[in-house]
Amino acid sequence: MYRILTGAIFCLISSILFTTRYIAAAILNTKVSVGSNFPIFLDFIGDELKIASFIALLIGVSYIIMGEMELKKGIK
């Protein structure tokens, strides 16, 4: 049961990291007076948050799967 909760927390961390990238690019885009340079600012931030989000998602999903397998076997 605790593995499922841990997996859900990792999935939450993944979604927070994923949205942080877009929020940061949107904040940087507010400084532009003319036009939208959102894709440029998204590239400026980099891929580190996307990679960290993907890793956290993989960890979270694997924990959820392991927790479900333990519940199916009856191990608590």
Side-chain angles (χ1 to χ4, degrees), residues 2-4 8-10 14-15 17 23 26 28 30-31 37 41 44-45 53 55-56 59-61 67-69 71:
Y2 291 112
R3 286 187 192 250
I4 296 172
I9 290 172
F10 269 105
S14 172
S15 65
L17 288 172
I23 290 172
L28 288 174
T30 59
K31 300 292 183 183
N37 294 328
F41 287 119
F44 178 70
I45 291 173
S53 169
I55 291 170
I59 292 171
V61 169
E68 288 292 331
M69 288 175 27
L71 282 178

Side-chain angles (χ1 to χ4, degrees), residues 7-73:
I9 290 172
F10 269 105
C11 288
L12 176 68
I13 290 170
S14 172
S15 65
I16 290 171
L17 288 172
F18 188 78
T19 57
T20 301
R21 182 172 179 250
Y22 287 97
I23 290 172
I27 290 171
L28 288 174
N29 196 28
T30 59
K31 300 292 183 183
V32 177
S33 61
V34 178
S36 176
N37 294 328
F38 187 75
I40 295 171
F41 287 119
L42 206 54
D43 289 336
F44 178 70
I45 291 173
D47 291 334
E48 291 85 6
L49 287 173
K50 190 186 333 180
I51 293 169
S53 169
F54 185 70
I55 291 170
L57 182 65
L58 288 178
I59 292 171
V61 169
S62 65
Y63 264 86
I64 290 173
I65 291 172
M66 287 189 301
E68 288 292 331
M69 288 175 27
E70 283 181 358
L71 282 178
K72 211 174 227 186
K73 290 180 183 177

